[in-house]
Amino acid sequence: MIRAGLLWLSEQSRIFGFIRGNGLARRLAARFVAGETVEAAVAALQGLNASGMAASLDLLGESVTSLSEARAARDTYLETLDRIRTVGADANVSVKLTQMGLEVDERVCVENLRAIMARARSYGTFVRIDMEQSAYTENTLQLFKRTFHPEFGNVVGVVLQSYLRRTERDVEEMIALGGRVRLCKGAYQEPATVAFPDKRDVDANYVRCMERLLERGDYPGIATHDARIIAHAKAFARRTGIAPQRFEFQMLYGVRRDLQLSLRREGYNVRVYVPFGGHWYPYLMRRLAERPANIAFLLGNIVRESLRRS
Ligand SMILES: Cc1cc2nc3c(=O)[nH]c(=O)nc-3n(C[C@H](O)[C@H](O)[C@H](O)COP(=O)(O)OP(=O)(O)OC[C@H]3O[C@@H](n4cnc5c(N)ncnc54)[C@H](O)[C@@H]3O)c2cc1C
């Protein structure tokens, strides 16, 4: 119930103005978001690199409603790639198709992505296409299979979500294609017709898909903070002779830093997903939905602040 409510709130952009003014919400966001500027994000990733971890920078913002917003986001990504190159950091970028204008004009969205991928290719780095709500899954995978992967090969990769019933099939298709996959559980509110409602099924599907990707995938990203699943990945790789260099663990900025560091110390590749930018509201709400313990605290504080102001 709480998770569903928070995920609903994450899609109500009008509430953002109200939440944004709240001091605690901003402090909580700062735990999960590196800052509002490219410079802040690059500073965060240099800190991660110093601890031996790689990063993927994500400019927050999704579902843009105009082509000028989409082009501005594209330009920020180009600037981000330039900055990563200039400082010599170990990082790539993660991009959402709806931020590049998918819902406004698919042709322009593709052009925006091509510009980012061409720049990434010229720098020898990589672009991950994040996966959004299930309404976009088919289109995202078709664009990947028909356009981006044929044109850019392994400069580009996708994300698959284990909560979707279709994902086992998509994993097999990506393995056959040689496409690079980040596997996550999935962060959005989805109907039972397309997604498993029971978390145990989501976790079991994650393990099945992860084993296939470890065995047959091209450098899969195992994106989870689930300690049990991470232990399973390590044991499975050891048992089947898969070297740690053939995959990487991925986690979110500000989540389970202890686990990120201990995996790195054990010799595993670890990449941290570093979001930055002013549009942090939906991202923060999705992170709260994953950890409802923070919510009562946040809501109590918001009510107290608004009573004080009135
Ligand atoms: C690198 C990366 C990229 C991602 N990209 C996408 C994407 O493109 N599309 C998409 O839909 N989703 C994406 N996600 C989000 C993902 O789908 C999950 O919503 C999120 O990772 C939580 O699931 P979990 O696997 O960590 O497992 P869970 O079962 O949710 O959590 C396992 C444990 O991790 C810890 N934990 C998890 N979340 C939090 C939190 N917010 N705060 C504190 N502790 C926490 C807790 O200890 C919890 O018990 C991404 C996640 C990662 C790590």
Side-chain angles (χ1 to χ4, degrees):
M1 272 298 280
I2 293 177
R3 178 175 181 273
L6 282 161
L7 290 177
W8 178 81
L9 279 174
S10 77
E11 293 176 5
Q12 311 308 308
S13 53
R14 272 175 304 167
I15 298 175
F16 181 34
F18 180 64
I19 295 272
R20 199 174 190 190
N22 178 268
L24 179 65
R26 290 184 73 90
R27 279 200 299 284
L28 254 182
R31 193 192 136 181
F32 298 112
V33 176
E36 298 215 348
T37 61
V38 175
E39 283 315 309
V42 169
L45 89 83
Q46 286 178 303
L48 292 165
N49 282 179
S51 317
M53 295 187 282
S56 191
L57 295 196
D58 162 54
L59 172 65
L60 292 168
E62 48 206 82
S63 304
V64 302
T65 52
S66 74
L67 292 181
S68 57
E69 279 177 278
R71 290 201 175 102
R74 174 202 64 194
D75 291 346
T76 304
Y77 270 106
L78 295 175
E79 184 194 342
T80 304
L81 285 166
D82 291 347
R83 284 296 296 150
I84 292 171
R85 166 80 165 187
T86 306
V87 301
D90 182 358
N92 58 38
V93 292
S94 292
V95 183
K96 289 184 174 54
L97 292 187
T98 64
Q99 186 182 26
M100 292 295 127
L102 184 67
E103 289 168 297
V104 191
D105 183 336
E106 186 173 309
R107 212 176 29 85
V108 175
C109 166
V110 168
E111 285 313 314
N112 288 340
L113 255 300
R114 281 191 175 122
I116 295 170
M117 287 169 194
R119 185 77 55 98
R121 179 166 59 193
S122 75
Y123 293 160
T125 183
F126 178 81
V127 179
R128 178 77 64 183
I129 302 175
D130 282 340
M131 190 57 82
E132 303 178 67
Q133 291 92 331
S134 61
Y136 305 110
T137 308
E138 183 58 24
N139 204 359
T140 303
L141 294 180
Q142 287 300 337
L143 283 171
F144 178 77
K145 285 185 284 197
R146 293 196 182 151
T147 306
F148 301 132
H149 189 260
E151 290 178 24
F152 292 95
N154 280 344
V155 168
V156 57
V158 280
V159 177
L160 297 177
Q161 301 151 317
S162 74
Y163 64 14
L164 293 186
R165 297 179 189 275
R166 59 177 284 163
T167 290
E168 256 191 290
R169 286 194 310 278
D170 292 330
V171 162
E172 294 307 324
E173 258 200 74
M174 287 301 146
I175 287 173
L177 185 72
R180 283 204 173 164
V181 174
R182 169 201 294 156
L183 182 67
C184 67
K185 290 187 187 175
Y188 301 88
Q189 184 64 22
E190 299 290 355
T193 44
V194 297
F196 299 110
D198 188 334
K199 192 167 182 315
R200 279 169 304 190
D201 294 327
V202 177
D203 291 355
N205 198 35
Y206 193 103
V207 170
R208 276 194 300 276
C209 294
M210 177 179 79
E211 289 187 351
R212 289 293 292 155
L213 287 167
L214 285 171
E215 274 177 329
R216 306 274 318 282
D218 180 0
Y219 196 66
I222 308 302
T224 182
H225 316 92
D226 188 325
R228 207 180 42 82
I229 289 182
I230 289 171
H232 185 104
K234 292 196 285 186
F236 181 80
R238 254 195 317 272
R239 201 168 61 241
T240 49
I242 297 165
Q245 294 73 34
R246 281 183 42 204
F247 61 95
E248 67 183 23
F249 287 112
Q250 300 186 349
M251 292 188 216
L252 301 177
Y253 182 75
V255 179
R256 292 302 312 262
R257 277 171 281 208
D258 54 333
L259 192 50
Q260 296 172 11
L261 285 168
S262 71
L263 284 170
R264 187 60 208 133
R265 278 193 219 103
E266 289 168 43
Y268 291 99
N269 292 337
V270 177
R271 185 176 302 276
V272 178
Y273 183 96
V274 180
F276 71 98
H279 296 284
W280 45 262
Y281 167 71
Y283 183 83
L284 173 66
M285 295 316 263
R286 289 199 292 271
R287 300 295 76 81
L288 290 178
E290 285 151 12
R291 193 151 171 87
N294 287 328
I295 295 155
F297 185 54
L298 174 65
L299 289 182
N301 185 276
I302 288 173
V303 171
R304 266 196 307 281
E305 266 194 28
S306 12
L307 287 176
R308 262 204 307 274
R309 276 195 222 139
S310 59

